[in-house]
Amino acid sequence: MNFTQLHCFVEAVDNSSFTIAAEALNFTQPAVSKNIKDLENELEVTLIVREHHRISLTDAGRYFYKVARNVVNDMDYAKDYLRSNKSKIGNSLRIGVCNIPLEEELMPIVLHELHKIDKSLDIRFSDVLNYSISEILNHHVDICLVSRDSVEAIKNISFEPLIEGHFVVMCPSNSILSKKEKVTLKDLQQQNIFLFNPTNSLSFQTQNELIANINVKHIRFVSDFFKMGIYVKANWGYGILPNFIADYNANEVKYLPLDSRKIPPYGIAYMKSAVRDIDIDKVIQVFKNAVKRIP
C-alpha cells in the first residue's frame, strides 16, 4: 500500500469517476484503475463497484474511504506546511555587532536580503564590542560579528570567515606617511601610535608583535574606532587597525597597508546548540553575498 494508491482511490470516490480522477492527478485513466485494483488486491477486499459510467462503494469501501481520506488530508497538509516554510529562516535572529563602519554598510544589505527570503523574520542587534564571548555562551545573541581570534579558544563556538584580515595604518591626510604606498614598522617607531584596547572583541593577539617592534612609550590604547579617528584627525598620531574596521569613505584620513603578517579574519561566530531553530546556512550565505557587494 502506498500514498499514490490511496490518492487515486480518494480522488475516484470524490469525483465518482476514474476519468476525472485521472485528470485531477495528471495520470492516465488505466493508471488510476490499476492503482486502485492493486490496493484492493493488497487489502483482499473489493472497495469499489465498477458500473457503466459510474462507481459506488462497498461497505468495506465506505469504511476504508474515511481512513484513506484522513491520510490524504494529513499528507496534503504536511506538504503545504513544508512548502510554506521552505524559505523561512526562523522566528527571530539576534545579531551581535561591534558598531564599526563596515557593519554600517553591511547590515542594511543583509537585512534587505533576509527580508526577501523570510518576511516574518524578526531581527535584533546587540552591541558586543567588549563582551562577545559571554553574549554567545549565554545565548543572548544567535550570531556574533567578531574577529576569529577573539573566540577561537572556545571549543563550542563555530566560526565562519567573511573577510581576510591584515593591518592598515590610519594616517592624517596631510602627514608624511600618507604619501607612502605601504607603511613599515620602522616608519612608526618614532611616532605616536593608537591601538585598540586588548579587552574588546576586535583586538588581536598579533598586536603584541607590533608592541614588541615599536617603542612602547609611544603607544596609547583606545576603546573604539570612533576615538581612534578623533586622535588621528587631530594629528596626534597614527592608528593601527584591521582592514575590515577601516572607514574608507572617511575624510581627513588615509588608510595604508602595514607591512606585517596577516591577522585573523572577521566573520560570524555562533554556537550550533543555540541556532537549532535558525537556518544558519542561509544566514551565512546572505552575509557572504552581502560582503561581495561592498566596494
Side-chain angles (χ1 to χ4, degrees), residues 207-226:
Q207 282 191 160
N208 294 333
E209 177 184 315
L210 299 176
I211 295 171
N213 288 278
I214 303 174
N215 191 328
V216 177
K217 291 187 298 184
H218 297 290
I219 294 177
R220 293 181 62 176
F221 291 99
V222 296
S223 59
D224 56 49
F225 174 84
F226 175 73

Side-chain angles (χ1 to χ4, degrees), residues 197-210:
N197 191 313
T199 62
N200 77 39
S201 299
L202 295 170
S203 294
F204 298 85
Q205 296 174 1
T206 43
Q207 282 191 160
N208 294 333
E209 177 184 315
L210 299 176

Side-chain angles (χ1 to χ4, degrees), residues 71-85:
V71 173
V72 170
N73 286 344
D74 287 345
M75 288 297 292
D76 287 343
Y77 173 82
K79 286 191 293 185
D80 290 341
Y81 175 82
L82 292 173
R83 285 168 180 167
S84 67
N85 284 274

